[in-house]
Each structure stands twice: as C-alpha cells, then as structure tokens.
Amino acid sequence: GRPPRSTPFPHPTLFRSQAEEVKLAEGKLTMAAPESWEKKQPRTRIVEVEFAVPAKEAKTDAARLTMMASGGGVQANIDRWFGQFEQPNNKATKDVAKVEKMELSGVPVHVVDITGKFKDQPRGPFGPTVVKENYRMLGAIIETTNAGTYYVKLYGPAETIHENEKEFKGLIKSLKTKE
C-alpha cells in the first residue's frame, strides 16, 4: 500500500489532485474519478472507459463502472435498466427505483438508483444470464448537444455500491462539458 499521509485530511474527495481525470468523446466531456478506483481495459468495444470499484469495509466483490455513448433514447434505456432487475413479491422495478433529473454543466443528467436481483450478462447482450442476489445499480445518463448521449453505470453488490455512492455522485457532479 501507500505510505500514510503526514497530515490527516478531513475530506479527501475535496482534494481534486487525488482524482483521475476521465475524458470522454475526445475530451468534450470530462469527469474526476477517485484514485481508489482501478482503471481497467474495457470488457467490450462499446465501453469507452471502465473502472473496478472496490468495497471499502464490506466483504463484497468490487463493482464495475462503465462509461459509453449510446443511442436509443433516455426513457428506453432507463426501462432496459429496470428490466435487468427483479424485485421480491412480484413488485415492479420501476415502482421501487429512484429516478432524478438535474442539470449539470448546462446539460440534462438523469440519475437512476435500482436495487434487487440483477440479471447479469457478463459476456455481453447475447451471452448467458447470471442472476446476482442483492445487487444495486447507480446510473447516469448525460444528454449533450455535441457528443451525443453518455451512459455512466456503476453496478455490483449492494454493499459495495452503498460504500461508493458518495464517490459516484461526486464523479457525476464533476462533469464538465466543452462545446
């Protein structure tokens, strides 16, 4: 590991030097990712940037964060995300999920929070489905005029996501767009 810092910082996320700048759409969009996240080679070609997001205290697996451009419309993609989750007692995912719309850096951003049984397709959309219990997904859909629509999706064991929720929100709120 790294040597301990000589001065304890009260709030490490305020120190942007500890973050990694992530560039999307040839630099038209940038965000700051926490240094504790591990940049990975994307599993598929459609994913532009990928991170492994480790649990801090929980004994759960790392979560996966992907960033990619895609078409298909905001609502259609949110509905597709809902379809990747199952709820107990036959509840509809759309009734238990949270969807929030905000404006960041002058563009609309939709933030989606879903918990439940996740129907994972680790080998891509045509591969076999693996059902993962107690999963959570935080997703952000960023609608830009000059770089299309970007999808940022963090999913994994619910505890891992819970421990990284503040960092995910910080990542999204660090969004800068260049026209």
Side-chain angles (χ1 to χ4, degrees), residues 38-70:
E38 186 192 344
K39 201 159 189 190
K40 303 288 257 189
Q41 179 64 39
R43 273 189 230 169
T44 56
R45 277 205 303 253
I46 55 168
V47 173
E48 207 168 308
V49 175
E50 181 166 333
F51 285 90
V53 176
K56 295 172 188 167
E57 307 288 327
K59 302 282 179 262
T60 48
D61 291 339
R64 182 181 184 212
L65 181 119
T66 59
M67 298 179 173
M68 59 188 274
S70 184

Side-chain angles (χ1 to χ4, degrees), residues 43-44 47 50 61-66 80-86 116-137 153-157:
R43 273 189 230 169
T44 56
V47 173
E50 181 166 333
D61 291 339
R64 182 181 184 212
L65 181 119
T66 59
R80 189 173 54 78
W81 287 349
F82 289 162
Q84 293 173 337
F85 282 83
E86 281 173 10
K117 267 190 209 178
F118 180 60
K119 296 180 271 191
D120 195 9
Q121 292 178 300
R123 295 207 197 119
F126 306 108
T129 298
V130 183
V131 175
K132 306 277 179 89
E133 295 282 343
N134 196 20
Y135 254 50
R136 183 174 174 196
M137 187 189 101
K153 187 167 132 176
L154 173 66
Y155 64 98

Side-chain angles (χ1 to χ4, degrees), residues 82-94:
F82 289 162
Q84 293 173 337
F85 282 83
E86 281 173 10
Q87 301 303 323
N89 313 326
N90 295 326
K91 283 189 178 149
T93 294
K94 71 175 175 17

